[in-house]
Amino acid sequence: MLTAEAQAGTAGATGARGRLGSVALVIGGIISLQFGASVAVLLFPRAGALGVVTLRLVAASLVLLIACRPKLRGYTRGDWATVLAFGVALAGMNSLFYEAIDRIPLGAAVTLEFLGPLILSVATSRRLLSLVWAGLALGGVVLLGREGFDGLNLVGAGCALAAGALWAAYILLSARTGQRFPQADGLALAMTVAAVLSLPLGIFSAGAALLNPVTLGLGAAVALMSSVLPYTLELLALRKLPASGFAVMMSLEPAAAATAGFLVLHQALGWAEVLAIGLVVVASVGAVRSAGAKAHG
């Protein structure tokens, strides 16, 4: 028989491993998402921003529906309302973000978009220390976008900010969907809603270009990298990671975007960008450790 202290220690170790696993899921999703965004930028000349969004969401929904085969019975009106709201947030967030990166640099767009999760992290956490990590993360993202904000397209900046507001909504709705639906079933259903909403806009914007085999292939790759993999990993992570800690961990997004922009789009990294990456990494680690301390407090 284990003593109470030993049982508590075992539970604590299990909880710590669970949080570390959730952190790994989030980081994997971030890397996949930003490299997918870089590939999407290369695809814009073929199908336009809204056309690429449609390809991404339709392909992602088909993959998730086939993989998950979600059941449609046994859910309440509240469950379906959550899925519908999640789908609307997905469609709006993706469309606005792609319109932003069609007009402004990837790093600057993600930096502006991150303000949504940052505000969410401060609003949902009652710990004073969370303000420190949020402030450190804000300093990092501002530093990262310092040069990219010169002469910024106002429409692109507005789209990025609006996408950030929907990103905050996505975080909350993803957590609720994960609690109401098993596995990734809720995500599959929400992605289908988003695909249906984006389809008319994509067809109107790109037309027959959506049927080009090369465009379809690249669109499928973007869907896997930017939707299927990251959203599934984040949904699983949010089952164990508090929304406030997850939101500040999103500060890694601008750093990943800068790295992807450098490797895929050949956007150079200066000393300021490197320093910013260090700041957001420290903020993310601190946020996760604070969340763990709160869980045991």
Side-chain angles (χ1 to χ4, degrees):
M1 291 287 292
L2 291 174
T3 64
E5 291 80 2
Q7 290 177 347
T10 302
T14 302
R17 285 194 295 269
R19 287 192 302 277
L20 288 175
S22 296
V23 170
L25 292 176
V26 173
I27 292 175
I30 288 171
I31 293 172
S32 180
L33 177 62
Q34 294 307 328
F35 275 85
S38 296
V39 176
V41 171
L42 299 177
L43 190 54
F44 283 171
R46 288 180 170 271
L50 293 178
V52 175
V53 169
T54 297
L55 287 173
R56 168 183 169 179
L57 294 177
V58 170
S61 66
L62 290 174
V63 170
L64 286 170
L65 286 174
I66 293 172
C68 299
R69 297 181 181 180
K71 296 180 180 179
L72 301 180
R73 295 182 179 181
Y75 297 112
T76 66
R77 289 185 179 181
D79 295 336
W80 286 114
T82 299
V83 159
L84 288 173
F86 192 16
V88 171
L90 281 170
M93 179 180 69
N94 283 286
S95 298
L96 287 166
F97 177 68
Y98 274 35
E99 287 291 340
I101 62 176
D102 193 29
R103 292 172 171 83
I104 61 179
L106 179 61
V110 176
T111 299
L112 288 172
E113 189 190 25
F114 172 70
L115 293 178
L118 182 66
I119 293 171
L120 176 64
S121 77
V122 175
T124 57
S125 178
R126 298 178 181 178
R127 291 175 63 88
L128 182 61
L129 190 58
S130 68
L131 296 176
V132 176
W133 301 125
L136 189 62
L138 179 60
V141 296
V142 169
L143 183 60
L144 187 62
R146 181 174 59 88
E147 296 183 2
F149 293 148
D150 295 337
L152 208 59
N153 180 283
L154 292 180
V155 174
C159 287
L161 289 171
L166 288 174
W167 190 359
Y170 157 81
I171 292 173
L172 297 175
L173 290 168
S174 181
R176 292 179 184 176
T177 300
Q179 293 167 358
R180 290 174 176 264
F181 292 82
Q183 305 302 321
D185 287 10
L187 175 61
L189 295 170
M191 192 68 71
T192 302
V193 172
V196 170
L197 291 174
S198 71
L199 195 57
L201 294 175
I203 293 174
F204 178 78
S205 174
L210 296 176
L211 300 178
N212 180 277
V214 176
T215 303
L216 284 172
L218 291 173
V222 170
L224 290 172
M225 295 174 67
S226 297
S227 293
V228 177
L229 185 59
Y231 293 160
T232 300
L233 294 178
E234 289 174 3
L235 184 144
L236 295 174
L238 278 166
R239 288 176 174 167
K240 293 187 177 180
L241 199 63
S244 58
F246 176 84
V248 177
M249 275 200 70
M250 292 294 98
S251 61
L252 288 171
E253 293 278 9
T259 303
F262 172 72
L263 295 176
V264 180
L265 303 176
H266 308 294
Q267 299 171 348
L269 286 172
W271 68 266
E273 286 80 4
V274 173
L275 177 59
I277 289 173
L279 287 176
V280 295
V281 167
V282 170
S284 297
V285 172
V288 173
R289 289 180 65 86
S290 294
K294 181 179 179 181
H296 284 85

